[in-house]
Amino acid sequence: MLDWLTLKREVQPNEYEAIAEYLSEKPQIMKWTPSTGAIEWAQPVRESIRSDSHQVQIYVTYNTITISGSPCNSLGLSDNVFGTSNIREAISAHLAVATAILPFEVGQSSQYRITRVDVTHNFDMGGSSEVRQALAYLRSFDGGRYRVNTSAETVYWSQGSSLRSGKAYHKGSHIRYTNKRGTTDIDSERVNLSDRLLRLELKLGHAWFSRKRKENINPLDINYDEEFNNYFSQIIGNVEVKEMNLREKVINVSPSPGQGLSAYRTWALIKAVGHHEARDSMPASTWYRHTKLLKDAGLGWGDFATGQVVPLRKRTLILENSVTSWNHLRSLSA
């Protein structure tokens, strides 16, 4: 599902008068010198509509209009645990919210460019202890360009990147936190159900969309669930692998049995000395060739980091098995 969407467009010359009139009635933040009264700069404040744990924010300046927030809120859903994966539906919902608030025409969807999308999936782990066990494994998943940071019951990869970043957390704990703060009001039945959920989140930032535009790729044509799967399969792996047949799998995906055996020996070296020392012990081209074959066989960066096949993947971290609704989750918990 799409958990966050940011839209932005330029203000057109024929809109300046209406925008200026609107902003003249709004509070502004400014930098000024009291002794002289000189104003160095001023900018309008952001307008927000509180809904669920996020806010739908509408930010109007003399040059741009920006709408950002959770599509779940724009769609009027009771929470943001489950929602839509349809980018066009999410855009329409954001524009409908802006139309209801702003006293001038917000423009057509074709005028806006997408600058951020968060894609999330929920995975049923069976209970809160299993979720915490999964997070304990995920904390060690640091490999290649995926740098890991942790905070409480959340694991981050490439945190702060303007391209792509990932996050994993316990949805039940998050809901309890937002309920306590008063930003959500989710009933106890759903809170207890959410204790079963490990939530994975992919953030696609403004630099990522800028690259896509340079490649003449229309963001409306992108399969965001596929982007999610591609990202997390590099970290976790998305193929069920058992240690006893890994050797055979590596050989099967390799151009030749000899290359497969060489890649498998690299895996044995990783288990013996760790992935950092194993990588430093061979040419970079050999390392990347062997790890590619190992990933084709189903391993992820987490397996390389821990030196073992992560046992949780067999049960719950196969990305195709995400939970899609409260009713789906209820059926799994029955």
Side-chain angles (χ1 to χ4, degrees):
M1 59 166 277
L2 304 176
D3 189 46
W4 192 271
L5 172 66
T6 299
L7 304 172
K8 187 174 184 178
R9 78 169 177 89
E10 307 299 323
V11 171
Q12 301 302 308
N14 64 335
E15 299 175 304
Y16 288 161
E17 185 176 345
I19 296 290
E21 182 179 353
Y22 168 77
L23 292 177
S24 68
E25 300 176 356
K26 296 296 178 181
Q28 299 195 6
I29 301 172
M30 63 178 60
K31 181 179 179 181
W32 66 291
T33 305
S35 61
T36 64
I39 299 174
E40 185 173 333
W41 55 260
Q43 65 181 30
V45 299
R46 295 180 183 269
E47 287 213 299
S48 303
I49 306 170
R50 285 293 292 273
S51 179
D52 197 24
S53 60
H54 298 299
Q55 299 177 1
V56 178
Q57 297 183 334
I58 301 173
Y59 185 41
V60 180
T61 72
Y62 295 101
N63 300 313
T64 61
I65 300 174
T66 305
I67 309 167
S68 61
S70 171
C72 295
N73 300 333
S74 295
L75 288 165
L77 302 181
S78 59
D79 56 66
N80 74 329
V81 181
F82 303 103
T84 183
S85 293
N86 187 319
I87 188 65
R88 288 178 171 82
E89 182 181 24
I91 292 172
S92 296
H94 266 13
L95 294 182
V97 170
T99 298
I101 296 170
L102 298 176
F104 52 84
E105 293 292 330
V106 299
Q108 303 298 315
S109 60
S110 58
Q111 295 177 282
Y112 287 84
R113 64 182 184 275
I114 299 173
T115 60
R116 174 182 166 184
V117 165
D118 291 1
V119 191
T120 65
H121 282 267
N122 300 295
F123 296 89
D124 177 31
M125 305 296 292
S128 58
S129 61
E130 288 83 1
V131 174
R132 292 186 175 95
Q133 182 187 13
L135 289 170
Y137 276 104
L138 292 171
R139 287 187 183 96
S140 64
F141 285 17
D142 184 4
R145 62 185 178 275
Y146 301 104
R147 298 303 176 189
V148 67
N149 302 92
T150 63
S151 174
E153 291 193 349
T154 304
V155 182
Y156 302 90
W157 293 275
S158 306
Q159 187 178 14
S161 171
S162 60
L163 282 170
R164 300 191 304 174
S165 61
K167 182 166 70 171
Y169 60 97
H170 184 193
K171 190 58 182 176
S173 292
H174 180 253
I175 289 178
R176 283 184 167 83
Y177 170 73
T178 55
N179 269 358
K180 186 176 180 180
R181 290 185 60 192
T183 54
T184 59
D185 185 20
I186 298 176
D187 63 73
S188 59
E189 187 248 357
R190 291 188 175 189
V191 171
N192 292 332
L193 283 172
S194 66
D195 272 336
R196 305 169 59 94
L197 296 179
L198 172 70
R199 190 169 174 106
L200 300 182
E201 177 178 298
L202 167 65
K203 172 189 170 184
L204 302 172
H206 65 87
W208 190 86
F209 282 101
S210 178
R211 286 188 180 183
K212 294 303 177 184
R213 286 192 294 271
K214 289 179 181 178
E215 296 169 2
N216 293 319
I217 296 175
N218 187 341
L220 296 179
D221 296 331
I222 294 172
N223 185 327
Y224 291 98
D225 286 334
E226 184 177 329
E227 293 294 333
F228 174 96
N229 289 342
N230 290 341
Y231 181 84
F232 280 105
S233 66
Q234 294 296 309
I235 300 174
I236 301 171
N238 65 347
V239 178
E240 186 175 317
V241 179
K242 296 180 182 178
E243 178 69 8
M244 64 181 183
N245 64 5
L246 178 60
R247 179 176 178 272
E248 180 182 347
K249 283 180 175 291
V250 176
I251 292 174
N252 287 340
V253 301
S254 300
S256 68
Q259 292 185 50
L261 287 172
S262 295
Y264 185 74
R265 284 193 289 270
T266 293
W267 169 243
L269 183 62
I270 291 171
K271 292 199 296 181
V273 301
H275 79 281
H276 289 297
E277 288 192 32
R279 181 180 59 193
D280 294 340
S281 70
M282 63 186 70
S285 59
T286 302
W287 169 259
Y288 288 114
R289 184 170 64 253
H290 287 179
T291 54
K292 180 182 184 302
L293 293 176
L294 291 168
K295 286 190 285 185
D296 289 344
L299 298 182
W301 275 117
D303 302 308
F304 301 145
T306 60
Q308 62 181 340
V309 177
V310 179
L312 291 172
R313 186 188 315 111
K314 179 180 178 182
R315 179 178 179 186
T316 55
L317 294 188
I318 298 174
L319 300 181
E320 291 80 4
N321 292 341
S322 61
V323 183
T324 57
S325 68
W326 286 112
N327 286 336
H328 185 189
L329 183 56
R330 288 187 184 95
S331 69
L332 293 172
S333 63

PDB file of all heavy atoms in Angstrom, residues 170-188:
ATOM      1  N   HIS A 170       7.666  -2.769  14.529  1.00  0.00           N
ATOM      2  CA  HIS A 170       6.550  -3.504  15.103  1.00  0.00           C
ATOM      3  C   HIS A 170       5.315  -2.607  15.069  1.00  0.00           C
ATOM      4  O   HIS A 170       5.256  -1.609  15.784  1.00  0.00           O
ATOM      5  CB  HIS A 170       6.899  -3.901  16.544  1.00  0.00           C
ATOM      6  CG  HIS A 170       5.851  -4.742  17.198  1.00  0.00           C
ATOM      7  ND1 HIS A 170       5.852  -4.973  18.560  1.00  0.00           N
ATOM      8  CD2 HIS A 170       4.771  -5.393  16.713  1.00  0.00           C
ATOM      9  CE1 HIS A 170       4.825  -5.736  18.867  1.00  0.00           C
ATOM     10  NE2 HIS A 170       4.152  -6.004  17.769  1.00  0.00           N
ATOM     11  N   LYS A 171       4.331  -2.962  14.254  1.00  0.00           N
ATOM     12  CA  LYS A 171       3.165  -2.098  14.094  1.00  0.00           C
ATOM     13  C   LYS A 171       2.347  -2.003  15.372  1.00  0.00           C
ATOM     14  O   LYS A 171       1.786  -0.944  15.683  1.00  0.00           O
ATOM     15  CB  LYS A 171       2.287  -2.600  12.940  1.00  0.00           C
ATOM     16  CG  LYS A 171       1.174  -1.622  12.561  1.00  0.00           C
ATOM     17  CD  LYS A 171       1.741  -0.261  12.156  1.00  0.00           C
ATOM     18  CE  LYS A 171       0.640   0.731  11.837  1.00  0.00           C
ATOM     19  NZ  LYS A 171       1.173   2.074  11.532  1.00  0.00           N
ATOM     20  N   GLY A 172       2.283  -3.091  16.140  1.00  0.00           N
ATOM     21  CA  GLY A 172       1.516  -3.039  17.378  1.00  0.00           C
ATOM     22  C   GLY A 172       2.068  -2.026  18.359  1.00  0.00           C
ATOM     23  O   GLY A 172       1.319  -1.231  18.944  1.00  0.00           O
ATOM     24  N   SER A 173       3.387  -2.024  18.534  1.00  0.00           N
ATOM     25  CA  SER A 173       4.008  -1.056  19.439  1.00  0.00           C
ATOM     26  C   SER A 173       3.810   0.367  18.943  1.00  0.00           C
ATOM     27  O   SER A 173       3.583   1.288  19.725  1.00  0.00           O
ATOM     28  CB  SER A 173       5.504  -1.353  19.575  1.00  0.00           C
ATOM     29  OG  SER A 173       5.715  -2.568  20.245  1.00  0.00           O
ATOM     30  N   HIS A 174       3.873   0.552  17.627  1.00  0.00           N
ATOM     31  CA  HIS A 174       3.697   1.885  17.055  1.00  0.00           C
ATOM     32  C   HIS A 174       2.288   2.406  17.304  1.00  0.00           C
ATOM     33  O   HIS A 174       2.088   3.579  17.668  1.00  0.00           O
ATOM     34  CB  HIS A 174       3.997   1.856  15.558  1.00  0.00           C
ATOM     35  CG  HIS A 174       3.836   3.172  14.884  1.00  0.00           C
ATOM     36  ND1 HIS A 174       2.781   3.450  14.044  1.00  0.00           N
ATOM     37  CD2 HIS A 174       4.574   4.308  14.935  1.00  0.00           C
ATOM     38  CE1 HIS A 174       2.876   4.686  13.606  1.00  0.00           C
ATOM     39  NE2 HIS A 174       3.953   5.228  14.123  1.00  0.00           N
ATOM     40  N   ILE A 175       1.287   1.543  17.137  1.00  0.00           N
ATOM     41  CA  ILE A 175      -0.098   1.968  17.371  1.00  0.00           C
ATOM     42  C   ILE A 175      -0.324   2.307  18.836  1.00  0.00           C
ATOM     43  O   ILE A 175      -1.001   3.287  19.166  1.00  0.00           O
ATOM     44  CB  ILE A 175      -1.078   0.883  16.895  1.00  0.00           C
ATOM     45  CG1 ILE A 175      -1.088   0.817  15.355  1.00  0.00           C
ATOM     46  CG2 ILE A 175      -2.485   1.157  17.411  1.00  0.00           C
ATOM     47  CD1 ILE A 175      -1.978  -0.261  14.792  1.00  0.00           C
ATOM     48  N   ARG A 176       0.236   1.495  19.729  1.00  0.00           N
ATOM     49  CA  ARG A 176       0.092   1.807  21.155  1.00  0.00           C
ATOM     50  C   ARG A 176       0.707   3.173  21.493  1.00  0.00           C
ATOM     51  O   ARG A 176       0.157   3.938  22.288  1.00  0.00           O
ATOM     52  CB  ARG A 176       0.737   0.702  21.998  1.00  0.00           C
ATOM     53  CG  ARG A 176      -0.112  -0.560  22.098  1.00  0.00           C
ATOM     54  CD  ARG A 176       0.524  -1.593  23.019  1.00  0.00           C
ATOM     55  NE  ARG A 176      -0.435  -2.641  23.346  1.00  0.00           N
ATOM     56  CZ  ARG A 176      -0.683  -3.685  22.561  1.00  0.00           C
ATOM     57  NH1 ARG A 176      -0.008  -3.808  21.426  1.00  0.00           N
ATOM     58  NH2 ARG A 176      -1.580  -4.591  22.903  1.00  0.00           N
ATOM     59  N   TYR A 177       1.833   3.469  20.848  1.00  0.00           N
ATOM     60  CA  TYR A 177       2.492   4.759  21.079  1.00  0.00           C
ATOM     61  C   TYR A 177       1.630   5.908  20.572  1.00  0.00           C
ATOM     62  O   TYR A 177       1.425   6.911  21.287  1.00  0.00           O
ATOM     63  CB  TYR A 177       3.848   4.757  20.380  1.00  0.00           C
ATOM     64  CG  TYR A 177       4.534   6.092  20.343  1.00  0.00           C
ATOM     65  CD1 TYR A 177       5.107   6.649  21.489  1.00  0.00           C
ATOM     66  CD2 TYR A 177       4.630   6.816  19.148  1.00  0.00           C
ATOM     67  CE1 TYR A 177       5.746   7.880  21.456  1.00  0.00           C
ATOM     68  CE2 TYR A 177       5.265   8.045  19.114  1.00  0.00           C
ATOM     69  CZ  TYR A 177       5.824   8.574  20.269  1.00  0.00           C
ATOM     70  OH  TYR A 177       6.449   9.791  20.228  1.00  0.00           O
ATOM     71  N   THR A 178       1.087   5.791  19.355  1.00  0.00           N
ATOM     72  CA  THR A 178       0.279   6.883  18.801  1.00  0.00           C
ATOM     73  C   THR A 178      -1.063   7.001  19.515  1.00  0.00           C
ATOM     74  O   THR A 178      -1.590   8.104  19.671  1.00  0.00           O
ATOM     75  CB  THR A 178       0.061   6.685  17.287  1.00  0.00           C
ATOM     76  OG1 THR A 178      -0.522   5.389  17.047  1.00  0.00           O
ATOM     77  CG2 THR A 178       1.388   6.788  16.543  1.00  0.00           C
ATOM     78  N   ASN A 179      -1.621   5.877  19.978  1.00  0.00           N
ATOM     79  CA  ASN A 179      -2.848   5.944  20.781  1.00  0.00           C
ATOM     80  C   ASN A 179      -2.603   6.694  22.085  1.00  0.00           C
ATOM     81  O   ASN A 179      -3.417   7.514  22.521  1.00  0.00           O
ATOM     82  CB  ASN A 179      -3.356   4.542  21.090  1.00  0.00           C
ATOM     83  CG  ASN A 179      -4.338   4.017  20.041  1.00  0.00           C
ATOM     84  OD1 ASN A 179      -4.674   4.715  19.088  1.00  0.00           O
ATOM     85  ND2 ASN A 179      -4.783   2.786  20.209  1.00  0.00           N
ATOM     86  N   LYS A 180      -1.472   6.410  22.712  1.00  0.00           N
ATOM     87  CA  LYS A 180      -1.136   7.067  23.969  1.00  0.00           C
ATOM     88  C   LYS A 180      -0.946   8.559  23.778  1.00  0.00           C
ATOM     89  O   LYS A 180      -1.336   9.370  24.630  1.00  0.00           O
ATOM     90  CB  LYS A 180       0.130   6.442  24.553  1.00  0.00           C
ATOM     91  CG  LYS A 180       0.497   6.955  25.935  1.00  0.00           C
ATOM     92  CD  LYS A 180       1.709   6.216  26.491  1.00  0.00           C
ATOM     93  CE  LYS A 180       2.076   6.719  27.880  1.00  0.00           C
ATOM     94  NZ  LYS A 180       3.257   5.988  28.430  1.00  0.00           N
ATOM     95  N   ARG A 181      -0.350   8.954  22.651  1.00  0.00           N
ATOM     96  CA  ARG A 181      -0.154  10.377  22.359  1.00  0.00           C
ATOM     97  C   ARG A 181      -1.449  11.068  21.954  1.00  0.00           C
ATOM     98  O   ARG A 181      -1.522  12.302  21.927  1.00  0.00           O
ATOM     99  CB  ARG A 181       0.856  10.541  21.230  1.00  0.00           C
ATOM    100  CG  ARG A 181       2.291  10.198  21.587  1.00  0.00           C
ATOM    101  CD  ARG A 181       3.213  10.515  20.441  1.00  0.00           C
ATOM    102  NE  ARG A 181       3.160  11.938  20.098  1.00  0.00           N
ATOM    103  CZ  ARG A 181       3.693  12.455  18.982  1.00  0.00           C
ATOM    104  NH1 ARG A 181       4.292  11.672  18.097  1.00  0.00           N
ATOM    105  NH2 ARG A 181       3.611  13.737  18.751  1.00  0.00           N
ATOM    106  N   GLY A 182      -2.460  10.289  21.606  1.00  0.00           N
ATOM    107  CA  GLY A 182      -3.725  10.877  21.196  1.00  0.00           C
ATOM    108  C   GLY A 182      -3.810  11.195  19.723  1.00  0.00           C
ATOM    109  O   GLY A 182      -4.779  11.814  19.271  1.00  0.00           O
ATOM    110  N   THR A 183      -2.821  10.775  18.946  1.00  0.00           N
ATOM    111  CA  THR A 183      -2.853  11.031  17.500  1.00  0.00           C
ATOM    112  C   THR A 183      -3.622   9.959  16.749  1.00  0.00           C
ATOM    113  O   THR A 183      -3.938  10.124  15.569  1.00  0.00           O
ATOM    114  CB  THR A 183      -1.425  11.125  16.929  1.00  0.00           C
ATOM    115  OG1 THR A 183      -0.692   9.945  17.278  1.00  0.00           O
ATOM    116  CG2 THR A 183      -0.712  12.351  17.485  1.00  0.00           C
ATOM    117  N   THR A 184      -3.917   8.819  17.413  1.00  0.00           N
ATOM    118  CA  THR A 184      -4.789   7.797  16.840  1.00  0.00           C
ATOM    119  C   THR A 184      -5.763   7.340  17.905  1.00  0.00           C
ATOM    120  O   THR A 184      -5.547   7.542  19.108  1.00  0.00           O
ATOM    121  CB  THR A 184      -3.994   6.572  16.332  1.00  0.00           C
ATOM    122  OG1 THR A 184      -3.263   5.999  17.422  1.00  0.00           O
ATOM    123  CG2 THR A 184      -3.039   6.951  15.226  1.00  0.00           C
ATOM    124  N   ASP A 185      -6.822   6.699  17.457  1.00  0.00           N
ATOM    125  CA  ASP A 185      -7.818   6.145  18.373  1.00  0.00           C
ATOM    126  C   ASP A 185      -8.278   4.812  17.801  1.00  0.00           C
ATOM    127  O   ASP A 185      -9.417   4.656  17.359  1.00  0.00           O
ATOM    128  CB  ASP A 185      -8.988   7.113  18.541  1.00  0.00           C
ATOM    129  CG  ASP A 185      -9.988   6.627  19.588  1.00  0.00           C
ATOM    130  OD1 ASP A 185      -9.588   5.785  20.421  1.00  0.00           O
ATOM    131  OD2 ASP A 185     -11.151   7.065  19.550  1.00  0.00           O
ATOM    132  N   ILE A 186      -7.361   3.855  17.794  1.00  0.00           N
ATOM    133  CA  ILE A 186      -7.626   2.541  17.217  1.00  0.00           C
ATOM    134  C   ILE A 186      -8.098   1.613  18.328  1.00  0.00           C
ATOM    135  O   ILE A 186      -7.503   1.556  19.402  1.00  0.00           O
ATOM    136  CB  ILE A 186      -6.359   1.999  16.530  1.00  0.00           C
ATOM    137  CG1 ILE A 186      -5.959   2.943  15.379  1.00  0.00           C
ATOM    138  CG2 ILE A 186      -6.580   0.594  15.992  1.00  0.00           C
ATOM    139  CD1 ILE A 186      -4.683   2.567  14.678  1.00  0.00           C
ATOM    140  N   ASP A 187      -9.185   0.893  18.079  1.00  0.00           N
ATOM    141  CA  ASP A 187      -9.804   0.076  19.125  1.00  0.00           C
ATOM    142  C   ASP A 187      -8.907  -1.081  19.540  1.00  0.00           C
ATOM    143  O   ASP A 187      -7.984  -1.482  18.827  1.00  0.00           O
ATOM    144  CB  ASP A 187     -11.172  -0.433  18.659  1.00  0.00           C
ATOM    145  CG  ASP A 187     -11.073  -1.353  17.453  1.00  0.00           C
ATOM    146  OD1 ASP A 187     -10.634  -2.498  17.607  1.00  0.00           O
ATOM    147  OD2 ASP A 187     -11.433  -0.908  16.343  1.00  0.00           O
ATOM    148  N   SER A 188      -9.189  -1.625  20.721  1.00  0.00           N
ATOM    149  CA  SER A 188      -8.323  -2.638  21.331  1.00  0.00           C
ATOM    150  C   SER A 188      -8.230  -3.907  20.495  1.00  0.00           C
ATOM    151  O   SER A 188      -7.182  -4.567  20.463  1.00  0.00           O
ATOM    152  CB  SER A 188      -8.825  -2.979  22.735  1.00  0.00           C
ATOM    153  OG  SER A 188     -10.160  -3.470  22.690  1.00  0.00           O
TER     154      SER A 188
END
